[in-house]
Amino acid sequence: MPAPKPSTLGPLQPNRFRPPRGQKRVYLPNFTLTLLRTPFAPPNYATFLTPLHLNKLDLKDYLYNLYGVEVLSVRSYVQQARVRQDKPGARLPKPRRWYRPRASKKMTIEMPATSPFLYPDAPTDFTPWDKEMQERALEAREKQQKTMGAEGSRLPKEDGKTLREQAEELLKGKKAWRPGWTDWDLGGRPKGEVGAGVGM
């Protein structure tokens, strides 16, 4: 009986052992991806802030199905948070009780060079977002937190400074003193202000 002939190998298929793409059905994703601004990265790289449970295949499938982005490779990095004393939100942080906040995970994807992604320029006019009012509110909140702390009683108070300046002006004769009740009428309103229904 003749010996069987050895089977000839066919041409190699480079994409044969690649995991399937676009076949995982996710109808309502329960995670949030945050695109980070990376000005020093090449235009065909993008970095995302992802949940800890998200893996590389999930990210590739998500971007392909939702945005049509072809991902060549993914690199992930888990960044541990800095150790701090006590848990956040504690009124009086207890010393020597160490607590490490939750870590964060970042993923960097590589896209084809033929389809680069350019991050939009940072806005220069923040009027639509009312940034000035938010900054003033943040400054007022920080001032209030400083006065409410243990060192708040030692800080100079703005009311005391104003009263001191008014007293110096009275002593120097720049302003004449008069009782405050003279600025109000009998109805409890400042003089010169006409209330509703007056003179009807």
Side-chain angles (χ1 to χ4, degrees):
M1 183 175 181
K5 296 181 180 180
S7 60
T8 58
L9 296 176
L12 295 177
Q13 299 179 3
N15 298 330
R16 182 179 179 182
F17 301 103
R18 222 176 242 191
R21 182 182 60 183
Q23 298 181 7
K24 184 175 182 179
R25 298 181 179 181
V26 180
Y27 298 99
L28 293 175
N30 57 349
F31 54 85
T32 303
L33 298 182
T34 305
L35 178 62
L36 303 179
R37 184 184 292 273
T38 52
F40 301 104
N44 60 329
Y45 283 83
T47 304
F48 296 89
L49 184 65
T50 64
L52 292 174
H53 62 81
L54 198 75
N55 56 35
K56 298 180 180 181
L57 298 179
D58 292 338
L59 181 62
K60 292 179 68 173
D61 201 76
Y62 178 84
L63 294 177
Y64 179 76
N65 283 304
L66 195 61
Y67 300 103
V69 176
E70 184 179 357
V71 179
L72 300 179
S73 63
V74 184
R75 289 180 293 177
S76 62
Y77 172 71
V78 178
Q79 183 177 3
Q80 297 294 335
R82 196 175 284 182
V83 178
R84 53 176 297 173
Q85 293 190 20
D86 211 345
K87 295 184 179 181
R91 292 186 176 181
L92 297 175
K94 299 178 181 179
R96 294 184 297 279
R97 284 200 175 183
W98 304 105
Y99 170 78
R100 185 188 292 275
R102 193 174 184 180
S104 60
K105 187 175 186 179
K106 297 179 182 178
M107 287 189 179
T108 303
I109 65 169
E110 181 186 359
M111 298 172 287
T114 56
S115 58
F117 171 77
L118 298 178
Y119 206 96
D121 297 334
T124 55
D125 183 18
F126 296 95
T127 306
W129 297 278
D130 206 357
K131 184 180 179 182
E132 294 182 0
M133 188 189 71
Q134 295 179 4
E135 290 178 350
R136 291 196 299 267
L138 181 61
E139 291 178 1
R141 192 180 304 116
E142 290 177 354
K143 287 182 180 179
Q144 185 179 8
Q145 289 178 355
K146 288 181 180 179
T147 56
M148 296 294 290
E151 302 292 334
S153 58
R154 303 179 184 177
L155 296 175
K157 298 188 178 181
E158 298 181 358
D159 296 341
K161 181 180 179 182
T162 307
L163 292 174
R164 191 181 306 110
E165 292 176 354
Q166 293 178 359
E168 290 177 357
E169 291 177 353
L170 289 174
L171 292 175
K172 293 179 181 179
K174 294 182 179 180
K175 286 188 177 181
W177 180 84
R178 61 177 181 175
W181 58 267
T182 57
D183 298 333
W184 301 80
D185 59 6
L186 297 178
R189 292 185 298 269
K191 287 185 177 180
E193 179 181 343
V194 180
V198 176
M200 296 296 290

